[in-house]
Amino acid sequence: MTNKILGLHHITAIAGNAKRNLDFYTRVLGLRLVKKTVNFDDPGTYHFYYGNENGAPGTILTFFPWEGIVKGKNGTGMATEIDYSVAAGSLDFWKDRFQSLNVKHGEVAERLGETYLPFEDPDGLRLNLVVSKNSDERKPWTTADLNADQAAKGFHNVTLNLRSIKPTATILTDIFGYELKEQEGNRYRFATDAVPTASIIDLVESPSEGRGINGSGTNHHVAFRVPNEDVQMEFREKILSKGVHITPKINRDYFYSLYFREPGGVLFELATDNPGFTVDEPLDQLGSALKLPEQYEAMREKIEKSLPQLS
Ligand code: ZN
């Protein structure tokens, strides 16, 4: 049997102030901080991972908060919207919550037969809460404010904005095992049957729109899930055979990664399930300590001093 991509693994975006980002995602949106580490290429910058209890693939949103970074601009060649799945009947609760917490949001609307509530994080990153028409049995992380009927369960889909959808669609269908399922206007919905959730990618075709510019409030890359490194390497061969450049395997401590820029301009990653976030912290303590990759452990004191204040 041919291996298929197992939906989304994580999405990585760029933020400004670290504390503001942490407060928004853990308190307002109610996700669990499952890992507090640094940017492996820039250890003076945090790397936050937010997810469900164990940071399961398909629930993980990660940020590089760069204080003072210039604001980005959404456009083509990037992921422009992240949709989280929530339980039916919870959107009014969320709208009231966003209202009372001064979160920029829109009205409840419908697309492709699903109701959703658009909102933005403090840096202007665009997100939606959506009631999926497929069942979503994932158990969300809950907080004092958010019970299981309200809390975000993980990704429903991500939207990629493209000048032309065809080259990206070909990667999704011919290599990743996705199929075109629905279309509404210039939005084309692709999904994989390999997993029940976090299985959807929407491609929006915007031929006259300018290219997006990375900066705070924009997405940096979209990571797709593979079970292990053997399958990851099979995909590497397939991508190379299409003439697309792809990196060697990189150890990210919590997963192994390959990166390539798909022909539509979006940075894609293939990330493994192994070893996961409990590799250096027990489940009940995830995110509580600053974790550093081995190469920076000797510089811990210096790094801790240079990182922004979180309290
Ligand atoms: Zn990544």
Side-chain angles (χ1 to χ4, degrees):
M1 202 184 92
T2 316
N3 282 306
K4 292 180 174 180
I5 288 291
L6 304 177
L8 292 167
H9 185 283
H10 67 269
I11 299 169
T12 294
I14 302 169
N17 183 267
K19 182 179 185 304
R20 189 176 64 177
N21 179 264
L22 183 65
D23 286 348
F24 183 82
Y25 284 96
T26 58
R27 295 185 185 179
V28 178
L29 204 52
L31 306 179
R32 186 180 193 193
L33 177 69
V34 294
K35 197 63 64 183
K36 181 167 62 178
T37 182
V38 294
N39 182 330
F40 287 12
D41 304 312
D42 174 16
T45 300
Y46 274 117
H47 192 182
F48 295 144
Y49 290 81
Y50 306 108
N52 69 352
E53 182 182 22
N54 64 338
T59 73
I60 313 158
L61 179 58
T62 100
F63 283 91
F64 297 123
W66 274 298
E67 189 71 49
I69 188 177
V70 67
K71 205 168 157 48
K73 185 177 162 292
N74 275 324
T76 55
M78 62 165 47
T80 49
E81 286 174 76
I82 297 169
D83 289 29
Y84 273 96
S85 169
V86 291
S90 65
L91 293 182
D92 289 341
F93 162 85
W94 277 103
K95 199 181 162 204
D96 290 346
R97 180 172 172 78
F98 289 157
Q99 198 89 39
S100 67
L101 296 173
N102 288 317
V103 174
K104 197 171 172 193
H105 64 279
E107 296 298 324
V108 173
E110 189 176 320
R111 77 179 169 208
L112 293 161
E114 296 176 325
T115 51
Y116 71 100
L117 175 64
F119 66 104
E120 290 182 10
D121 85 356
D123 288 294
L125 189 74
R126 288 168 60 196
L127 302 114
N128 302 301
L129 295 174
V130 59
V131 177
S132 175
K133 57 189 168 192
N134 305 316
S135 74
D136 185 345
E137 302 301 328
R138 291 176 293 179
K139 193 170 154 269
W141 178 249
T142 55
T143 67
D145 287 4
L146 298 164
N147 65 35
D149 294 328
Q150 298 158 339
K153 298 178 188 191
F155 297 135
H156 176 263
N157 70 287
V158 65
T159 297
L160 311 183
N161 192 10
L162 302 159
R163 283 185 82 89
S164 158
I165 69 155
K166 190 139 190 300
T168 309
T170 302
I171 298 279
L172 292 179
T173 55
D174 294 8
I175 301 182
F176 285 9
Y178 283 66
E179 288 172 44
L180 177 63
K181 301 280 189 184
E182 288 178 275
Q183 183 203 346
E184 192 174 274
N186 64 344
R187 177 176 293 268
Y188 298 78
R189 175 155 287 187
F190 291 77
T192 176
D193 297 327
V195 284
T197 55
S199 56
I200 298 170
I201 307 291
D202 283 354
L203 304 185
V204 166
E205 192 161 67
S206 311
S208 57
E209 197 172 328
R211 273 193 77 88
I213 300 166
N214 263 143
S216 70
T218 60
N219 289 298
H220 187 264
H221 64 265
V222 176
F224 291 86
R225 176 183 171 206
V226 288
N228 56 50
E229 297 153 76
D230 289 342
V231 175
Q232 187 179 42
M233 286 314 186
E234 285 175 25
F235 277 106
R236 187 173 192 275
E237 290 307 312
K238 287 182 200 168
I239 290 158
L240 279 174
S241 77
K242 297 274 180 190
V244 176
H245 175 78
I246 182 165
T247 68
K249 185 173 75 180
I250 299 170
N251 181 0
R252 293 301 185 197
D253 280 9
Y254 311 107
F255 42 84
Y256 292 91
S257 296
L258 300 172
Y259 301 87
F260 70 101
R261 200 165 289 281
E262 58 82 24
V266 185
L267 186 59
F268 277 3
E269 175 181 348
L270 300 181
T272 60
D273 281 359
N274 60 298
F277 293 103
T278 53
V279 70
D280 59 0
E281 275 176 310
L283 182 62
D284 64 347
Q285 287 166 38
L286 288 183
S288 55
L290 176 68
K291 292 293 172 185
L292 296 176
E294 208 183 317
Q295 67 268 32
Y296 296 136
E297 203 48 71
M299 298 157 62
R300 175 174 282 273
E301 206 179 330
K302 197 175 158 217
I303 288 171
E304 283 180 350
K305 270 192 200 135
S306 70
L307 285 166
Q309 286 293 318
L310 297 181
S311 53

